Amino acid sequence: MPRPRKGARLWLRPERKSGGRVVSSATWIILDDGRHIATGCPAGEAERAEKALAIYIAEKYQPKRKARDIEDIDVADVLSIYDADTRDRQRNQRTFDERIKRLAEFWGGRMLAEITGESCRAYVAARKNPGGARRDLEDLRAAVNHHAKEGLHRGIVRIVLPEKGQARDRWLTRSEAARLLWICWRHREEQTVHRGEDKGKKTLTSRRPLRHLARFILIGLYTGTRAGAIASASWKADLGRSFVDLERGVFYRLAAGRAATKKRQPPVPLPDRLLAHMRRWSEMPSEGEHFVEYAGAPVQSVKTAFATAVRLAKLEGRVTPHTLRHTSATWLMQAGVDMWEAAGFLGMTAQTLERVYGHHHPAHLRRAANAFSGRRSADQSLVVSLAERRARKAEATQVIEDDGGPGRTRTYNQTVMS
């Protein structure tokens, strides 16, 4: 059996001597199918040599951009083209790269024609996470659709997604939210003493590593804004930032320079209490220009800190940063806010708000419940009175026509309706 071919790789070619003299220094070389490609990197520049290898591989393997049949197109090519064309537009490039990598590992080597319901279900089984698999397959569907729009394949390819899971409805009560905020504000870092008489003992330091999270939680509860927009929020407008106009009290949640997506992020007025906090935060001495900062720099993610705060607060169930958005929506519904107004404030459709959070509204199915108690709501009473008046009008009209003909009908009807 022939030895399997190795891919392109780096090799440190040792120095060469002739007559006791060095005629060639040690150099990094790219080996590829028996060929030697110079990198120009000496032995001490391994990192630069690795970059040269990555560039070589990228330039060597470029997917063919011409129309072909789906039986002849590798799914890996489709994913590569989608990655090259759309990666710069992704909000979270790290998670996007992870999804593309998982898809390439499973579908690489398979042709587009092999994407069927059966193979999609096999991916879900291999992923062992239906929700995560669905999100991955949505990217695969987007990649295939992009490939088709570019006119690069002939034929129809359909991606079968697993059933969508139930919407999470975990929200915080006001006492839970207060406990979480108290933990974030009061928690102190604990360290172990490594020398002296108290070696091995735990001691509390003056550092409070969760205080930045208190700001994050307040903004999330008061506005229902997604985590990314909260993390980039600043009182100074700039590219890549969500801008808070402290003078007018408006939160422009869509970061400057980013295209709007189906995840709506409309500008919203800030509640007075939150606005007062944010104005005070902007005047405090700080190394940065964002509302949520850690060690003088804007945070990229609060997942780890948030999980720590939830554990310390002993909150039950699955509580994540996105739970703050669920909580904001739930509190708005419990307060009886108009469905359309609440949906606009949160940046979601009224249909989604009603489907996921509508049961928290005090008017939810209230008419049906009141019908069994014999009570009539104001709307029901109005409907009944209008129906009664129409009936009286019809009866009066019939009487006049019987007595004197249609000529007197209009005058009598006006008297009855008045």
Side-chain angles (χ1 to χ4, degrees):
M1 175 181 291
R3 180 181 299 176
R5 179 179 174 273
K6 295 181 180 180
R9 61 200 185 278
L10 285 174
W11 171 57
L12 181 59
R13 187 175 63 189
E15 65 178 12
R16 288 178 290 178
K17 295 182 179 181
S18 177
R21 297 176 57 190
V22 176
V23 295
S24 177
S25 301
T27 309
W28 287 105
I29 299 294
I30 297 175
L31 297 181
D32 186 18
D33 197 22
R35 292 184 300 153
H36 290 199
I37 298 94
T39 64
C41 303
E45 297 183 359
E47 186 175 346
R48 194 159 71 90
E50 290 176 354
K51 291 180 180 179
L53 175 63
I55 294 173
Y56 171 80
I57 293 174
E59 292 178 349
K60 175 186 175 183
Y61 184 73
Q62 291 290 339
K64 296 179 180 179
R65 290 183 179 251
K66 66 178 184 179
R68 291 179 290 164
D69 294 328
I70 56 177
E71 291 81 7
D72 302 327
I73 302 173
D74 195 314
V75 178
D77 287 354
V78 177
L79 292 171
S80 179
I81 291 173
Y82 179 67
D83 179 66
D85 292 355
T86 68
R87 185 178 184 276
D88 290 341
R89 302 199 300 265
Q90 302 297 323
R91 283 194 63 185
N92 191 328
Q93 295 183 348
R94 180 182 60 81
T95 57
F96 175 75
D97 292 342
E98 291 172 355
R99 292 194 299 270
I100 295 297
K101 181 181 178 181
R102 283 193 297 268
L103 290 168
E105 288 175 351
F106 182 87
W107 297 98
R110 304 183 187 216
M111 301 296 113
L112 269 182
E114 296 181 62
I115 298 180
T116 62
E118 182 180 0
S119 59
C120 289
R121 287 187 288 273
Y123 180 79
V124 175
R127 183 81 162 80
K128 298 180 181 178
N129 179 352
R134 180 183 174 90
R135 182 65 187 89
D136 292 352
L137 290 174
E138 286 174 346
D139 270 345
L140 178 62
R141 180 176 62 185
V144 172
N145 291 342
H146 176 75
H147 199 261
K149 288 177 182 178
E150 292 291 309
L152 301 179
H153 72 248
R154 295 182 290 267
I156 298 175
V157 180
R158 298 192 185 280
I159 286 81
V160 178
L161 302 178
E163 289 294 327
K164 199 170 186 177
Q166 290 186 343
R168 296 175 191 156
D169 195 24
R170 176 65 167 104
W171 52 278
L172 302 178
T173 63
R174 294 187 182 274
S175 61
E176 287 178 325
R179 190 160 79 244
L180 189 61
L181 284 168
W182 181 254
I183 286 293
C184 292
W185 188 254
R186 300 292 297 174
H187 176 68
R188 291 165 59 185
E189 184 181 64
E190 187 180 74
Q191 290 185 352
T192 302
V193 179
H194 294 288
R195 62 183 65 181
E197 296 180 357
D198 296 330
K199 183 177 180 180
K201 292 183 179 180
K202 301 288 186 180
T203 182
L204 295 177
T205 70
S206 60
R207 293 188 62 199
R208 300 187 185 274
L210 297 180
R211 278 201 171 176
H212 69 289
L213 197 58
R215 294 185 179 186
F216 183 95
I217 293 171
L218 283 173
I219 297 173
L221 290 176
Y222 275 109
T223 67
T225 302
R226 292 182 173 85
I230 298 176
S232 66
S234 172
W235 59 90
K236 293 187 178 180
D238 201 354
L239 286 176
R241 296 180 181 179
S242 302
F243 174 58
V244 177
D245 187 339
L246 294 176
E247 183 177 348
R248 297 176 55 233
V250 178
F251 186 6
Y252 296 90
R253 295 185 285 201
L254 182 63
R258 289 181 180 170
T261 67
K262 65 179 181 179
K263 301 292 186 182
R264 303 177 183 182
Q265 294 180 307
V268 290
L270 291 168
D272 291 339
R273 288 184 179 179
L274 178 61
L275 180 58
H277 282 304
M278 299 181 92
R279 284 172 175 167
R280 179 170 53 84
W281 295 339
S282 68
E283 295 171 357
M284 296 175 66
S286 173
E287 297 179 16
E289 298 175 344
H290 294 75
F291 289 105
V292 183
E293 296 178 346
Y294 185 77
V299 297
Q300 298 298 319
S301 173
V302 297
K303 288 183 179 179
T304 302
F306 198 90
T308 300
V310 168
R311 176 177 54 81
L312 293 173
K314 299 180 180 179
L315 300 182
E316 297 180 354
R318 189 166 186 265
V319 180
T320 68
H322 199 69
T323 302
L324 301 177
R325 181 169 168 81
H326 292 308
T327 302
S328 182
T330 300
W331 287 1
L332 287 175
M333 290 295 93
Q334 290 174 341
V337 177
D338 177 76
M339 199 77 71
W340 283 96
E341 188 172 354
F345 183 83
L346 294 165
M348 65 175 66
T349 64
Q351 292 79 3
T352 298
L353 183 67
E354 183 176 13
R355 173 173 55 84
V356 181
Y357 309 100
H359 60 284
H360 293 292
H361 199 285
H364 180 66
L365 303 181
R366 184 50 53 191
R367 286 188 190 177
N370 289 343
F372 292 98
S373 62
R375 294 181 299 184
R376 290 178 177 176
S377 65
D379 290 344
Q380 288 176 316
S381 299
L382 178 61
V383 171
V384 172
S385 63
L386 289 174
E388 290 175 348
R389 292 171 70 183
R390 289 194 189 98
R392 287 164 58 194
K393 174 184 175 183
E395 183 179 355
T397 301
Q398 184 62 43
V399 170
I400 292 301
E401 288 180 349
D402 289 344
D403 288 346
R408 296 166 52 197
T409 300
R410 182 178 180 185
T411 303
Y412 190 78
N413 285 347
Q414 290 174 343
T415 303
V416 172
M417 295 302 290
S418 63

